[in-house]
Every structure is written in structure tokens, then in C-alpha cells.
Amino acid sequence: CVITQRTDAIPLSAKVQGFFQARNKTRNSVAGSHCINSFSMAELGCYSPSFKKPCEVLRMRRKRARSEGPGAKALSEAVGIRPFSPGPLLKSPVRAKGGGVKRRNPFANLENAGSSAKRRATSLSYGNHGAVSGTVEGKHGEKKETGASLMEELLKDTKIKHERQASVSASDEELSLFEDDLLEPQISHTPLEAPKAPAEGTLSFPVDWSMKTRLLFTSPHSFSWTEHMKAHEEAQGLSAHCRGQFGSLPQNIQDPRSCTELRCGFQQALQYWQHPSFSWLSLFPRIGAERSFSGRCLPWAQDATLQQSLMSDWSVSLTSLYSLLKARLCPFFYLCSYQFTVLFKAKGLGAEGLTALLSPSTRGLREAMKAEGIEFSLPLVEQKRKSRRQSSSLDERDQAHDEELTSGTAFSDNNEDEEGEEEEEDDDECGFSWLKEMGVQDQIKKPDVISIKLRQEQSEVRLDRRPESVLLVHGSHTFTLINFLINCKSLVAVSGLQAGLPPTLLAPTPFRGATLHSLKARTVNVKTRVRSGFQDVFSLELTGPVMPHTVHSLTRLLTEAQRGEFSTAIFTHQPTAVLNVPFSNITEKPQQEQCVLEDLSGCALHQSCVHHLAVPSILGKHSLRQLNMKEGFFSWNT
């Protein structure tokens, strides 16, 4: 430690000099050869590298002066001690005029109170000559200290430091001797590195084929990069969407606002295609949307010619979409009418071959489809029947096993099946056999064939407009379904606010007669209360018809921009939640992943999105409600 003598320093009193000389002798006797003093006491002005730091000595003297009484002020004025809080000297002209700064309470700040333990701790440092210098400070509550007690404490501390000398090392620092901040330990604040965004392959959450009306993203990081798109960024995003081109995002984005690829990708992810389109009217959702149509201009309501023209254009657009679907240039599309919604999916997305899911259905619609020769199935009803059969077969096997143990007779599986079939026939033919045992079979009239048929029809009617009424059409019957929908008169409402308006067609790719639309984005910044105060929470709200590929594209972008920390509240159009039903009745094996990616390479979707949509859904008749991402891992609620 290089110590310089202050030219303007005031000579120390004899009492203080004697104290330093006694302590110096103690230091030299304990440290031995480690304490090498290269400067004479005269040259250093009674200071030595083995002494306490002058700022600590002055602080101890100030504390002693306060406890001694009237002489404390004179001593402080003689030595030039500063007040407790940072400010001008006590003898300065500023304080003489009476206009000094108000002294600060050192314990008003938690940092000052919390650092008291650190100030009482022993800090060791090595000088250039190997001398050990230490600082020991008493408790804040100490009021009186005698010279003898101070010497004993100094001797004790010196011995402890000498014992620790071999295991303690510190760096040499040129410090200011009269700086109050020396007592505070120097803490190096290393800047926290931004958490790296997870890799793109870590995106893993179940595919949700239901339509959404609103998405609400929240994150501790700002969404300002989604605002105020520049002209060239908007143009690049629209061009990339129309051409089906996707650029690669840079790794570890530090400033999302300056990342052109990210902003263009966000603009590209918001686009979708719709037919028909009216700027003053929202055409999604259509089920239960009478309120959104009220008070709007509906010129086709009373014009049959206009209705026929709209229906003709709609038929051309639907045919174009099916052709693109069959050629694997469009992965899927939605048909939304005022009664039901139909999801058409290309080959490889969940099943081998074209598929169509229609929900909800009615008995009249099912009968009309049967009359047109359209083969369909009820996946949820069949799944329920299958589970019942499995449970009943297990019960029968358990019962047969118990009979074998009791009677010792073994029954084969074939005999069990035959007996089961015979029992069912007996129940059907002699369902009222118990009446003969009571002798009242002639008094009670048995139900005829018509009443039994009505009961069966009643059970079918119970399925109407329920999730269990979802219909699955597979293979070539999807083309028959397209013709049925074009020629079906009940597809368009005859009365009401939606009278004469064709169903809405929604697709991720352009088709004939379609109009390009964009989801509405809005950012909101709020403050939420936490334990330590308030925390900034940033949100991004998207409204409009949100399709499955949009959710995947947005999560891919937010993973990079929000550093893998965000949560999503999903608002689903409930009639479409059942579109996640699995295809359990389709016997064909699904295609391999590589074949699916090759077949759908021209469908204008990102390869990761195609891979995501090709995985069979596991949600059943439910849909995602919450999607959270933290540290690169997804969690969700249904």
C-alpha cells in the first residue's frame, strides 16, 4: 500500500500519537519478518502501512469524542472530521452560515442497515511489502471505550489476522485514505446475460384444430417490436406470405425492435384468406352471431338476384379450395355456416387420405347425407360403445374365471361368445318374459315395432347439436360432401339476419375469390402487484379467426423475441372444440414424417408447422385454454 502524506493535514495530538506508536510496536512484534517498513516515521508523518486506515482511525476517534462530551466538538474541529452523512466539513463556511444540508439518517435505507454486519466483519489486505492490515469496527450501539480495552482488542485481532495470513490473499489496490466508502466492501456487479431462447425443435404442445376468436399473450418482456411496422417490413411480410417463403430468424435476439426478420415474420403470421368478404361486416364466427349482424347493412336480405350471385361465387371458391386440398397445395380449410362448421384436411394430417369433420350435426342433416350416399361415422359414439364393450367383456371374463374356480368347469372363449349372443337374442325376443312368471302377460300390452323405432329415433335426436354428434367423412366421400354442400338448400339461412349469406370459407393459402385479411394486434402495458412492489407486465392481444397454423407460427416467433418466457390465454369458438377428435375408426396407417413433409412441401406452411399439424391430436373433444412457456418448456391446460 502506497501511503502519501497530506500537505494540509493538521498535526495529531500527543495522545493519538502515543496510541499509534504503541500499536505499531505490537504489530512489529507479532508480524515479525512479514511486516517490513521501508519508510521512517518522520517521512510518513507518524503513519505506517501496518497501521489502521486513517478513515477508520478518524471514525473511531469521532465515536470516542462523542462519548467524552464537550471536548468532542473541539477535537472534531481540530482534526477536520466530516459529519456523519456526506456533506461539507463542520468548520466550513457553508455550515458557518447556517445553511447546511440536513443530515441523513443512515438507517433509513435498507442497504445501510443490511451492511452493518459487513462493516463489523474483518477485512484483510496485503500491502506491497507483505504487511497485513485489518479493520475491526464495533457495534453501532457502543457508547464508551477506554484506551486499555482498545489495545486489548487490537492485540487480539492482530493475532487472529496473523494466523489467517497464510490462507488469505487479496489484491493490491491504491485507495484514497480519507474516503468514507472504504468501509463498504467492493462488490463487482457482473451484467446478467440475457437467457438464450430455446431451439426451434423444442416447440412441443398438442395440436389444436379448433378455431379461436382471441389470443392474449403476456410476458415480462416488452412487445413493442410488434408495433409501428415500417412500409418495407409490411411489404416483405405480405410478399413472403403470398409466396410461401420463410426466412430464418437470428439466434439470441438482443433488440427485437431492430430485427427486420422478426418483424416481417410477425406480419406474415397474421395473414389469412377469407371468402366472402365485406369490410363493414365480420363473418366469423357464424354460429350464434346474430348480435354482430344487428344494425348492419344487409343488401342481399331481400334481393334474390344478389343472393344467387353470392352463392355462385361461393361455389367457385369452394371448388377451388377442394382442388388445392386434393393437390396438397392447401393443408386445410374451414367452412363456417350458421348451423355447423366443417374442417377439411389434406392427406397426411392425422390420417392417410382426405378427411372432413362436421360439427354439430342434426338428425335431419344425417338423414340427408345418407340419402346422398355419403358414408360417415360418429367417432365419439363409437368410442363410447367400444369402451362399454371392453368393460363388459372384462366383467364376463372375471365372472367366468370365478365360476371355473368354484365349479371346476372350463369354458372356452367361443362358447362364451355364443352364449352372449344367445342371451342378447333372448333379451330382444323375450324382453317381457318376466311377465309370464307373474301371470299378467295378457293384461299388459307389449310395445309394437313402431314404438321401438321411435325410441331409437329419440336416442338419435338426443345427439343433435351436442359434441357427440360430430361426423367424420373419409376418402372419396369428401368429394360427395362438397357437392352436397353446394346443392344443399338448408346450408344458407332462409330467415333471420344471416338470410341469403353463404358460409364463410377460411384458409391459410390463397384460393379463387379469396380476400387477404390480417388479424388485429394490440399491445397493452400494465403493472401488477407483487411482494416487493409492482412489476411491469406486457401483453399482446390478437383478435380474429385464429387457425392452428397461426398459433404455431406465433409461438415460434415469441420463443425467440420473448426469450422463452410468455403465457397465452386462448379463447376458443366452443362449437369447434370437438374437431380435435381422434380418427380411431380409420384403419390406414399414418404416413411417415418424411413423406408428409415432402407431400406438403408446397402448401405455404413452415416445415415445423407441417410436422406439428401431422401429429394426431390428443385433446379429444376438448381444446387448449392456456399455453405457458418457461425456460424452453411448454405447459398447457384444457
Side-chain angles (χ1 to χ4, degrees), residues 14 19 24 41 59 135 138 154 169 183 195 245 247 276 285 289 317 392 417 425 430 443 485 521 525 589 601 638:
F19 168 74
N24 187 23
M41 297 295 292
R59 183 170 283 107
T135 61
L154 291 174
S169 61
L183 291 177
Q245 299 176 353
S317 298
S392 63
D417 296 339
E425 292 177 358
C430 304
Q443 299 179 8
L485 294 174
N525 303 335
K589 296 181 180 180
S601 59
T638 59

PDB file of all heavy atoms in Angstrom, residues 14 19 24 41 59 135 138 154 169 183 195 245 247 276 285 289 317 392 417 425 430 443 485 521 525 589 601 638:
ATOM      1  N   ALA A  14      -0.888  14.551  21.081  1.00  0.00           N
ATOM      2  CA  ALA A  14       0.092  13.651  21.706  1.00  0.00           C
ATOM      3  C   ALA A  14      -0.544  12.340  22.116  1.00  0.00           C
ATOM      4  O   ALA A  14       0.055  11.274  22.033  1.00  0.00           O
ATOM      5  CB  ALA A  14       0.725  14.368  22.929  1.00  0.00           C
ATOM      6  N   PHE A  19      -0.853   6.491  21.023  1.00  0.00           N
ATOM      7  CA  PHE A  19      -1.675   5.302  20.696  1.00  0.00           C
ATOM      8  C   PHE A  19      -1.143   4.598  19.439  1.00  0.00           C
ATOM      9  O   PHE A  19      -1.005   3.381  19.394  1.00  0.00           O
ATOM     10  CB  PHE A  19      -3.122   5.735  20.510  1.00  0.00           C
ATOM     11  CG  PHE A  19      -3.983   4.675  19.899  1.00  0.00           C
ATOM     12  CD1 PHE A  19      -4.390   3.569  20.642  1.00  0.00           C
ATOM     13  CD2 PHE A  19      -4.374   4.777  18.579  1.00  0.00           C
ATOM     14  CE1 PHE A  19      -5.172   2.613  20.071  1.00  0.00           C
ATOM     15  CE2 PHE A  19      -5.143   3.812  18.004  1.00  0.00           C
ATOM     16  CZ  PHE A  19      -5.556   2.719  18.747  1.00  0.00           C
ATOM     17  N   ASN A  24       1.931   0.257  16.713  1.00  0.00           N
ATOM     18  CA  ASN A  24       2.975  -0.092  15.751  1.00  0.00           C
ATOM     19  C   ASN A  24       3.951  -1.090  16.364  1.00  0.00           C
ATOM     20  O   ASN A  24       4.396  -2.032  15.710  1.00  0.00           O
ATOM     21  CB  ASN A  24       3.693   1.178  15.298  1.00  0.00           C
ATOM     22  CG  ASN A  24       4.671   0.898  14.162  1.00  0.00           C
ATOM     23  OD1 ASN A  24       4.521  -0.092  13.446  1.00  0.00           O
ATOM     24  ND2 ASN A  24       5.662   1.759  14.012  1.00  0.00           N
ATOM     25  N   MET A  41       9.216   6.870  10.309  1.00  0.00           N
ATOM     26  CA  MET A  41       8.053   7.506  10.886  1.00  0.00           C
ATOM     27  C   MET A  41       8.046   8.991  10.580  1.00  0.00           C
ATOM     28  O   MET A  41       6.985   9.605  10.419  1.00  0.00           O
ATOM     29  CB  MET A  41       8.062   7.292  12.408  1.00  0.00           C
ATOM     30  CG  MET A  41       7.961   5.833  12.812  1.00  0.00           C
ATOM     31  SD  MET A  41       6.401   5.101  12.348  1.00  0.00           S
ATOM     32  CE  MET A  41       5.352   6.025  13.452  1.00  0.00           C
ATOM     33  N   ARG A  59     -12.802   7.679  12.295  1.00  0.00           N
ATOM     34  CA  ARG A  59     -14.162   7.312  12.693  1.00  0.00           C
ATOM     35  C   ARG A  59     -14.202   6.825  14.143  1.00  0.00           C
ATOM     36  O   ARG A  59     -15.122   7.118  14.898  1.00  0.00           O
ATOM     37  CB  ARG A  59     -14.702   6.237  11.760  1.00  0.00           C
ATOM     38  CG  ARG A  59     -16.156   5.861  12.065  1.00  0.00           C
ATOM     39  CD  ARG A  59     -16.751   4.975  10.996  1.00  0.00           C
ATOM     40  NE  ARG A  59     -17.107   5.764   9.817  1.00  0.00           N
ATOM     41  CZ  ARG A  59     -16.453   5.754   8.665  1.00  0.00           C
ATOM     42  NH1 ARG A  59     -15.406   4.984   8.523  1.00  0.00           N
ATOM     43  NH2 ARG A  59     -16.835   6.503   7.657  1.00  0.00           N
ATOM     44  N   THR A 135      -9.215  -4.230   9.560  1.00  0.00           N
ATOM     45  CA  THR A 135     -10.164  -3.245  10.074  1.00  0.00           C
ATOM     46  C   THR A 135     -11.151  -3.959  10.953  1.00  0.00           C
ATOM     47  O   THR A 135     -11.735  -4.974  10.556  1.00  0.00           O
ATOM     48  CB  THR A 135     -10.914  -2.541   8.934  1.00  0.00           C
ATOM     49  OG1 THR A 135     -11.644  -3.518   8.211  1.00  0.00           O
ATOM     50  CG2 THR A 135      -9.948  -1.839   8.001  1.00  0.00           C
ATOM     51  N   GLY A 138     -16.585  -1.758  15.938  1.00  0.00           N
ATOM     52  CA  GLY A 138     -17.508  -2.213  16.955  1.00  0.00           C
ATOM     53  C   GLY A 138     -18.935  -2.073  16.526  1.00  0.00           C
ATOM     54  O   GLY A 138     -19.248  -1.646  15.443  1.00  0.00           O
ATOM     55  N   LEU A 154      -7.158  -4.676  19.849  1.00  0.00           N
ATOM     56  CA  LEU A 154      -6.228  -4.607  18.729  1.00  0.00           C
ATOM     57  C   LEU A 154      -5.220  -5.748  18.768  1.00  0.00           C
ATOM     58  O   LEU A 154      -4.884  -6.353  17.736  1.00  0.00           O
ATOM     59  CB  LEU A 154      -5.503  -3.266  18.749  1.00  0.00           C
ATOM     60  CG  LEU A 154      -6.370  -2.034  18.424  1.00  0.00           C
ATOM     61  CD1 LEU A 154      -5.561  -0.754  18.618  1.00  0.00           C
ATOM     62  CD2 LEU A 154      -6.886  -2.124  16.998  1.00  0.00           C
ATOM     63  N   SER A 169      -5.606 -14.230   0.791  1.00  0.00           N
ATOM     64  CA  SER A 169      -4.901 -13.444  -0.241  1.00  0.00           C
ATOM     65  C   SER A 169      -5.825 -12.372  -0.752  1.00  0.00           C
ATOM     66  O   SER A 169      -7.015 -12.578  -0.885  1.00  0.00           O
ATOM     67  CB  SER A 169      -4.459 -14.350  -1.400  1.00  0.00           C
ATOM     68  OG  SER A 169      -5.572 -14.935  -1.989  1.00  0.00           O
ATOM     69  N   LEU A 183     -15.037   1.653   3.850  1.00  0.00           N
ATOM     70  CA  LEU A 183     -15.580   0.657   4.766  1.00  0.00           C
ATOM     71  C   LEU A 183     -16.542  -0.293   4.066  1.00  0.00           C
ATOM     72  O   LEU A 183     -16.769  -1.399   4.527  1.00  0.00           O
ATOM     73  CB  LEU A 183     -16.305   1.347   5.925  1.00  0.00           C
ATOM     74  CG  LEU A 183     -15.383   2.090   6.892  1.00  0.00           C
ATOM     75  CD1 LEU A 183     -16.220   2.785   7.930  1.00  0.00           C
ATOM     76  CD2 LEU A 183     -14.403   1.132   7.521  1.00  0.00           C
ATOM     77  N   PRO A 195     -31.231 -14.605 -21.089  1.00  0.00           N
ATOM     78  CA  PRO A 195     -31.408 -16.042 -21.288  1.00  0.00           C
ATOM     79  C   PRO A 195     -31.565 -16.370 -22.757  1.00  0.00           C
ATOM     80  O   PRO A 195     -32.270 -15.697 -23.491  1.00  0.00           O
ATOM     81  CB  PRO A 195     -32.693 -16.350 -20.504  1.00  0.00           C
ATOM     82  CG  PRO A 195     -33.389 -15.038 -20.364  1.00  0.00           C
ATOM     83  CD  PRO A 195     -32.314 -13.999 -20.334  1.00  0.00           C
ATOM     84  N   GLN A 245     -42.814 -18.209 -48.559  1.00  0.00           N
ATOM     85  CA  GLN A 245     -41.392 -18.224 -48.243  1.00  0.00           C
ATOM     86  C   GLN A 245     -41.195 -17.854 -46.776  1.00  0.00           C
ATOM     87  O   GLN A 245     -41.899 -16.984 -46.241  1.00  0.00           O
ATOM     88  CB  GLN A 245     -40.632 -17.236 -49.132  1.00  0.00           C
ATOM     89  CG  GLN A 245     -40.730 -17.550 -50.623  1.00  0.00           C
ATOM     90  CD  GLN A 245     -40.055 -16.496 -51.475  1.00  0.00           C
ATOM     91  OE1 GLN A 245     -39.622 -15.460 -50.968  1.00  0.00           O
ATOM     92  NE2 GLN A 245     -39.963 -16.754 -52.773  1.00  0.00           N
ATOM     93  N   GLY A 247     -38.124 -16.921 -43.928  1.00  0.00           N
ATOM     94  CA  GLY A 247     -36.730 -16.612 -43.641  1.00  0.00           C
ATOM     95  C   GLY A 247     -36.325 -17.157 -42.283  1.00  0.00           C
ATOM     96  O   GLY A 247     -37.162 -17.383 -41.395  1.00  0.00           O
ATOM     97  N   PRO A 276     -66.870 -15.215 -48.310  1.00  0.00           N
ATOM     98  CA  PRO A 276     -66.916 -13.853 -48.871  1.00  0.00           C
ATOM     99  C   PRO A 276     -66.330 -12.851 -47.885  1.00  0.00           C
ATOM    100  O   PRO A 276     -66.034 -13.186 -46.734  1.00  0.00           O
ATOM    101  CB  PRO A 276     -68.400 -13.625 -49.091  1.00  0.00           C
ATOM    102  CG  PRO A 276     -69.071 -14.493 -48.087  1.00  0.00           C
ATOM    103  CD  PRO A 276     -68.196 -15.693 -47.904  1.00  0.00           C
ATOM    104  N   PRO A 285     -67.301 -15.425 -35.773  1.00  0.00           N
ATOM    105  CA  PRO A 285     -67.989 -16.702 -36.006  1.00  0.00           C
ATOM    106  C   PRO A 285     -69.373 -16.504 -36.582  1.00  0.00           C
ATOM    107  O   PRO A 285     -69.932 -15.407 -36.507  1.00  0.00           O
ATOM    108  CB  PRO A 285     -68.050 -17.321 -34.623  1.00  0.00           C
ATOM    109  CG  PRO A 285     -68.064 -16.152 -33.689  1.00  0.00           C
ATOM    110  CD  PRO A 285     -67.250 -15.081 -34.339  1.00  0.00           C
ATOM    111  N   ALA A 289     -74.192 -15.664 -34.130  1.00  0.00           N
ATOM    112  CA  ALA A 289     -73.613 -14.345 -34.415  1.00  0.00           C
ATOM    113  C   ALA A 289     -74.670 -13.322 -34.798  1.00  0.00           C
ATOM    114  O   ALA A 289     -74.354 -12.337 -35.479  1.00  0.00           O
ATOM    115  CB  ALA A 289     -72.576 -14.466 -35.529  1.00  0.00           C
ATOM    116  N   SER A 317     -65.418 -20.699 -55.286  1.00  0.00           N
ATOM    117  CA  SER A 317     -64.348 -20.647 -54.284  1.00  0.00           C
ATOM    118  C   SER A 317     -64.210 -21.974 -53.550  1.00  0.00           C
ATOM    119  O   SER A 317     -63.086 -22.445 -53.299  1.00  0.00           O
ATOM    120  CB  SER A 317     -64.626 -19.514 -53.283  1.00  0.00           C
ATOM    121  OG  SER A 317     -64.646 -18.257 -53.918  1.00  0.00           O
ATOM    122  N   SER A 392     -67.578 -54.550 -20.466  1.00  0.00           N
ATOM    123  CA  SER A 392     -68.479 -55.701 -20.287  1.00  0.00           C
ATOM    124  C   SER A 392     -67.763 -57.020 -20.525  1.00  0.00           C
ATOM    125  O   SER A 392     -67.983 -58.006 -19.814  1.00  0.00           O
ATOM    126  CB  SER A 392     -69.667 -55.576 -21.231  1.00  0.00           C
ATOM    127  OG  SER A 392     -69.236 -55.604 -22.589  1.00  0.00           O
ATOM    128  N   ASP A 417     -68.767 -66.444 -26.246  1.00  0.00           N
ATOM    129  CA  ASP A 417     -69.316 -65.531 -27.238  1.00  0.00           C
ATOM    130  C   ASP A 417     -70.677 -66.010 -27.719  1.00  0.00           C
ATOM    131  O   ASP A 417     -71.609 -65.213 -27.888  1.00  0.00           O
ATOM    132  CB  ASP A 417     -68.353 -65.418 -28.424  1.00  0.00           C
ATOM    133  CG  ASP A 417     -67.034 -64.795 -28.000  1.00  0.00           C
ATOM    134  OD1 ASP A 417     -67.033 -64.108 -26.954  1.00  0.00           O
ATOM    135  OD2 ASP A 417     -66.026 -65.011 -28.710  1.00  0.00           O
ATOM    136  N   GLU A 425     -80.140 -62.240 -27.952  1.00  0.00           N
ATOM    137  CA  GLU A 425     -81.326 -62.529 -28.744  1.00  0.00           C
ATOM    138  C   GLU A 425     -82.517 -62.817 -27.853  1.00  0.00           C
ATOM    139  O   GLU A 425     -83.647 -62.401 -28.136  1.00  0.00           O
ATOM    140  CB  GLU A 425     -81.042 -63.733 -29.653  1.00  0.00           C
ATOM    141  CG  GLU A 425     -80.011 -63.414 -30.733  1.00  0.00           C
ATOM    142  CD  GLU A 425     -79.699 -64.630 -31.575  1.00  0.00           C
ATOM    143  OE1 GLU A 425     -80.263 -65.704 -31.267  1.00  0.00           O
ATOM    144  OE2 GLU A 425     -78.891 -64.504 -32.518  1.00  0.00           O
ATOM    145  N   CYS A 430     -87.641 -61.931 -25.958  1.00  0.00           N
ATOM    146  CA  CYS A 430     -88.460 -62.157 -24.753  1.00  0.00           C
ATOM    147  C   CYS A 430     -88.101 -61.146 -23.682  1.00  0.00           C
ATOM    148  O   CYS A 430     -87.676 -61.509 -22.573  1.00  0.00           O
ATOM    149  CB  CYS A 430     -88.275 -63.576 -24.232  1.00  0.00           C
ATOM    150  SG  CYS A 430     -88.623 -64.852 -25.449  1.00  0.00           S
ATOM    151  N   GLN A 443    -102.565 -59.059 -19.675  1.00  0.00           N
ATOM    152  CA  GLN A 443    -103.162 -57.807 -19.248  1.00  0.00           C
ATOM    153  C   GLN A 443    -102.347 -56.581 -19.692  1.00  0.00           C
ATOM    154  O   GLN A 443    -102.869 -55.487 -19.773  1.00  0.00           O
ATOM    155  CB  GLN A 443    -103.294 -57.797 -17.718  1.00  0.00           C
ATOM    156  CG  GLN A 443    -104.193 -58.910 -17.186  1.00  0.00           C
ATOM    157  CD  GLN A 443    -104.283 -58.895 -15.671  1.00  0.00           C
ATOM    158  OE1 GLN A 443    -103.782 -57.960 -15.032  1.00  0.00           O
ATOM    159  NE2 GLN A 443    -104.929 -59.914 -15.104  1.00  0.00           N
ATOM    160  N   LEU A 485     -72.842 -30.027 -50.157  1.00  0.00           N
ATOM    161  CA  LEU A 485     -72.882 -28.695 -49.556  1.00  0.00           C
ATOM    162  C   LEU A 485     -73.215 -27.618 -50.584  1.00  0.00           C
ATOM    163  O   LEU A 485     -73.892 -26.631 -50.259  1.00  0.00           O
ATOM    164  CB  LEU A 485     -71.543 -28.387 -48.894  1.00  0.00           C
ATOM    165  CG  LEU A 485     -71.168 -29.254 -47.689  1.00  0.00           C
ATOM    166  CD1 LEU A 485     -69.754 -28.931 -47.218  1.00  0.00           C
ATOM    167  CD2 LEU A 485     -72.162 -29.061 -46.554  1.00  0.00           C
ATOM    168  N   ALA A 521     -53.930  -6.693 -34.049  1.00  0.00           N
ATOM    169  CA  ALA A 521     -52.975  -6.797 -32.941  1.00  0.00           C
ATOM    170  C   ALA A 521     -53.005  -5.520 -32.116  1.00  0.00           C
ATOM    171  O   ALA A 521     -53.093  -4.416 -32.660  1.00  0.00           O
ATOM    172  CB  ALA A 521     -51.561  -7.054 -33.462  1.00  0.00           C
ATOM    173  N   ASN A 525     -49.594  -2.368 -21.787  1.00  0.00           N
ATOM    174  CA  ASN A 525     -48.624  -2.488 -20.698  1.00  0.00           C
ATOM    175  C   ASN A 525     -49.318  -2.153 -19.386  1.00  0.00           C
ATOM    176  O   ASN A 525     -49.938  -1.089 -19.253  1.00  0.00           O
ATOM    177  CB  ASN A 525     -47.434  -1.551 -20.904  1.00  0.00           C
ATOM    178  CG  ASN A 525     -46.726  -1.801 -22.227  1.00  0.00           C
ATOM    179  OD1 ASN A 525     -46.789  -2.893 -22.782  1.00  0.00           O
ATOM    180  ND2 ASN A 525     -46.055  -0.779 -22.731  1.00  0.00           N
ATOM    181  N   LYS A 589     -52.719 -46.866 -41.841  1.00  0.00           N
ATOM    182  CA  LYS A 589     -51.621 -46.387 -41.024  1.00  0.00           C
ATOM    183  C   LYS A 589     -51.215 -44.995 -41.486  1.00  0.00           C
ATOM    184  O   LYS A 589     -51.168 -44.727 -42.676  1.00  0.00           O
ATOM    185  CB  LYS A 589     -50.428 -47.328 -41.116  1.00  0.00           C
ATOM    186  CG  LYS A 589     -50.714 -48.714 -40.555  1.00  0.00           C
ATOM    187  CD  LYS A 589     -49.479 -49.589 -40.657  1.00  0.00           C
ATOM    188  CE  LYS A 589     -49.764 -50.973 -40.084  1.00  0.00           C
ATOM    189  NZ  LYS A 589     -48.578 -51.853 -40.170  1.00  0.00           N
ATOM    190  N   SER A 601     -44.856 -30.040 -49.010  1.00  0.00           N
ATOM    191  CA  SER A 601     -43.796 -29.036 -49.105  1.00  0.00           C
ATOM    192  C   SER A 601     -44.254 -27.775 -49.823  1.00  0.00           C
ATOM    193  O   SER A 601     -43.666 -26.710 -49.632  1.00  0.00           O
ATOM    194  CB  SER A 601     -42.570 -29.621 -49.823  1.00  0.00           C
ATOM    195  OG  SER A 601     -42.931 -30.063 -51.124  1.00  0.00           O
ATOM    196  N   THR A 638     -56.425 -27.525 -20.532  1.00  0.00           N
ATOM    197  CA  THR A 638     -57.565 -27.691 -21.428  1.00  0.00           C
ATOM    198  C   THR A 638     -58.859 -27.398 -20.706  1.00  0.00           C
ATOM    199  O   THR A 638     -58.896 -27.341 -19.477  1.00  0.00           O
ATOM    200  CB  THR A 638     -57.600 -29.116 -21.989  1.00  0.00           C
ATOM    201  OG1 THR A 638     -57.686 -30.056 -20.901  1.00  0.00           O
ATOM    202  CG2 THR A 638     -56.364 -29.413 -22.802  1.00  0.00           C
TER     203      THR A 638
END
